[in-house]
Amino acid sequence: MQTVVNFENVGLRYGAGAEALSGLSFKLFAGSFYFLTGASGAGKTSLLKLLYLAHRPSRGMIKMFGEDIVTMPRDRLPGFRRRIGVVFQDFRLLNHLSAFDNIAMPLRISGIEEKDLEGPVNELLSWIGLADRASARPTTLSGGEQQRVAIARAVIGRPEILVADEPTGNVDPEMAVRLLQLFAGLNKLGTTVIVATHDIHLLREIEGAQMMRLKDGQLSDPTGSLKNPAVPLVLNN
Amino acid sequence: MGLKSTLARDDSKIFSDGRIAGPMPWVIAIMVFLTILASAAGVAIAASASQNNETLARKMTVQILEEEPIKRNNQRTQIVEYLRKLPQTESVTPLSDADIIQLLEPWLGLNEDTAFESNELIPLPAIIDVQMKVIADEPLRIQMLSEMQSIAPSVRLDTQESWIAPLYDLMRSFIYLIFALILLLAAATSATVVLAVRSALDTHRNTLDIMHLMGSTDSQISRLFQRRVAVDAFFGGAIGFIFGCLTIWFISSRLNNLIAGVVSQISMPWYGWIILALIPLLMGILSIVIARWTVRGAMKKIL
């Protein structure tokens, strides 16, 4: 199976503080589905930031799509970022844009013509149940609706890696399952999905998903306390 | 096709407003207005200096300081003949006694009625205006003086250069001063753009972060700002240009009514208007370059 992400002894430190992440070594494979769990402050968001190239690590080596992104010149990073879809914990929708324009932004950034935008964006708006709210601003949408728009924005560009930080935190259980099905559908098309979540029940929804468990900035012992033997853990190398 | 074309074409779907920051166009308008006035003054002075400089530099004055009137008149006649025979002279104009009396009247109170009487009391020099075909260099001047001294030992040869040089030095100083002023105005405009763009970067920080994480390049993001700065700068530049030209026209017409002769000497040459028309354009281009530099500098601080 092709390795899309390879961490080797990666550490991340903010300023002069203690390491938020320490000694991370793992591989993520193309077309796999991963859940990232851990208590608040365990380092889930920090790890996701490394994955969606918002930060470079303080130490260690990270390879994505076979290339070392730690030493990569920053002018090459945008091309890699376009291959990664991100669902932020706080959605980070642009409040001055409509739901349609928020979802269309990755396609506009990729240079898709306006006439070619409408079909995919409207299709996705229908899928997330917001076809009639296409022109609504995020501030007029509920938390769940905003989250669906954020997810639609992350997946519209058919990313090779999808990184989601608590994507089901503000939606009802039925919608949570639908969103996970969307992620699973993308995963079946070859997208590597990494979902950070507190909701352990979600882990059972995706067949074949693997789990990464963070504790105090480190991948915890695979024989740790999580009682879900159906989900294999990602092992330290 | 990349973001560069798509976003440039429809960036209203990215930022919430069409402008960078409130007062920037008006500050640029003021800067362009002042630059137009300074440049107009500089161009007019430079044109006047270069136009008159050569004409005046080719002029010389011959004075014969002989006390005896009859002898002085004879020497003047011979020197005029000598000068007219020189191949380098364009025209030789001996001033009549009446012209000389008129010249000296403000200082000595002479008039034609008292001239002959005064002439005996205060000997007047014979004066000959000489217009050369070329600027007489020093060897030629020495040769001319030497040959004229053989006719009239008391002869003096003055170039206009001697009294016009300090005036031209002053004009040159004004031009340097204006040039420095224009540079300062350009620097102030650049600083205004930097501050406005930084303010806009802060305002749109969230949008830029999202775009950045979605794969926008520095060039693509800076282009969004460049477009807005261009709109503001050219708008402000046009306002400044219009008011600058109106002011120049107003001042010119007032001066024209006041002292037509002076104005004709320091009027704006045709190419001056082209230079003035280029000022808002150059200010606009400068603003765009500064905006690009500011945005790219800020973007480099993030990964």
Side-chain angles (χ1 to χ4, degrees), chain B residues 200-222:
Chain B
L201 280 168
D202 285 340
T203 303
H204 297 294
R205 174 64 61 193
N206 185 46
T207 305
L208 296 178
D209 283 347
I210 296 292
M211 289 177 65
H212 184 66
L213 290 173
M214 287 180 182
S216 290
T217 64
D218 293 353
S219 296
Q220 291 167 337
I221 290 172
S222 70

Side-chain angles (χ1 to χ4, degrees), chain A residues 74 81 96-97 108 113, chain B residues 1 13-14 218 299 303:
Chain A
R74 64 181 295 284
R81 290 192 179 106
H96 60 276
L97 299 183
R108 289 196 170 111
E113 293 280 348
Chain B
M1 186 191 306
K13 289 190 166 63
I14 303 297
D218 293 353
M299 295 307 294
L303 178 60

